[in-house]
């Protein structure tokens, strides 16, 4: 039974990878030995790009929404329901609806050998250094060396 489950998970992961390669082409790069459990969601806008290093593992319901760039280093692991947004709405002008003011964006970069816990949200412009552990349920809006 366990072997059938592992085969099923591998087929799902490879199908998702193929789907994102067809939709986004070279804007999404999966490193060697990329693994995931369950579904993951990626959105890459016209000018965006997402790079996953070697041996990256995504747990259930990982999501990355990219207009600029997201870089994930080698050997990183992600808990369930991790979200990344490399952009934010502009909202400076009160007389213009927020939905019409556009976005500002900045690269998210995660170093090597990081563990990002479940339900973490990482916002635009954040750089996380090598060998970091981010606890569950954190909102990361500033750099972590």
């Amino acid at each position: 039974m366990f072997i059938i489950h592992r085969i099923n998970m591998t087929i799902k992961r490879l199908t998702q990878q193929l789907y994102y390669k067809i939709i986004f082409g070279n804007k999404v790069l999966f490193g060697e030995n990329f693994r995931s459990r369950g579904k993951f969601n990626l959105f890459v806008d016209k000018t965006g790009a997402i790079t996953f290093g070697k041996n990256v593992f995504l747990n259930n319901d990982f999501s990355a929404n990219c207009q600029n760039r997201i870089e994930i280093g080698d050997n990183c692991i992600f808990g369930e329901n991790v979200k990344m947004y490399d952009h934010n709405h502009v909202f400076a002008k009160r007389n213009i609806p927020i939905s019409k003011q556009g976005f500002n964006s900045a690269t998210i970069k995660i170093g090597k050998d990081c563990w990002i816990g479940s339900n973490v949200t990482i916002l635009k412009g954040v750089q996380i250094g090598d060998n970091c552990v981010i606890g569950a349920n954190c909102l990361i809006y500033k750099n972590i060396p």
Side-chain angles (χ1 to χ4, degrees):
M1 188 68 161
F2 178 73
I3 293 173
I4 293 171
H5 177 71
R6 293 208 35 130
I7 291 170
N8 186 35
M9 295 301 288
T10 300
I11 290 169
K12 284 181 182 180
R13 180 183 69 248
L14 293 174
T15 302
Q16 282 187 288
Q17 282 181 263
L18 178 60
Y19 169 79
Y20 288 119
K21 291 305 284 180
I22 290 169
I23 298 299
F24 298 121
N26 287 335
K27 292 179 179 191
V28 176
L29 299 175
F30 295 100
E32 184 179 316
N33 198 31
F34 172 86
R35 296 170 297 126
S36 67
R37 175 180 296 141
K39 69 179 168 56
F40 59 93
N41 296 299
L42 305 177
F43 177 78
V44 184
D45 209 354
K46 296 175 219 162
T47 57
I50 300 176
T51 303
F52 294 95
K54 293 185 235 172
N55 304 311
V56 169
F57 171 75
L58 307 179
N59 213 325
N60 296 313
D61 298 318
F62 173 92
S63 178
N65 197 315
C66 178
Q67 288 188 356
N68 187 313
R69 183 158 188 79
I70 297 174
E71 300 175 15
I72 298 170
D74 296 343
N75 304 307
C76 288
I77 60 174
F78 293 83
E80 292 184 335
N81 201 38
V82 170
K83 309 292 183 211
M84 293 186 186
Y85 305 94
D86 74 347
H87 59 283
N88 198 359
H89 290 274
V90 174
F91 53 90
K93 299 176 182 172
R94 288 184 157 185
N95 60 335
I96 298 173
I98 292 171
S99 63
K100 305 253 189 258
Q101 293 186 50
F103 299 93
N104 55 28
S105 65
T107 298
I108 293 173
K109 185 170 183 179
I110 299 175
K112 298 176 183 174
D113 299 310
C114 292
W115 174 20
I116 311 299
S118 294
N119 300 309
V120 169
T121 299
I122 301 172
L123 300 180
K124 74 177 185 80
V126 166
Q127 292 192 24
I128 298 173
D130 295 342
N131 305 304
C132 287
V133 175
I134 309 297
N137 300 307
C138 288
L139 173 64
I140 308 301
Y141 62 96
K142 292 184 179 180
N143 292 345
I144 298 174

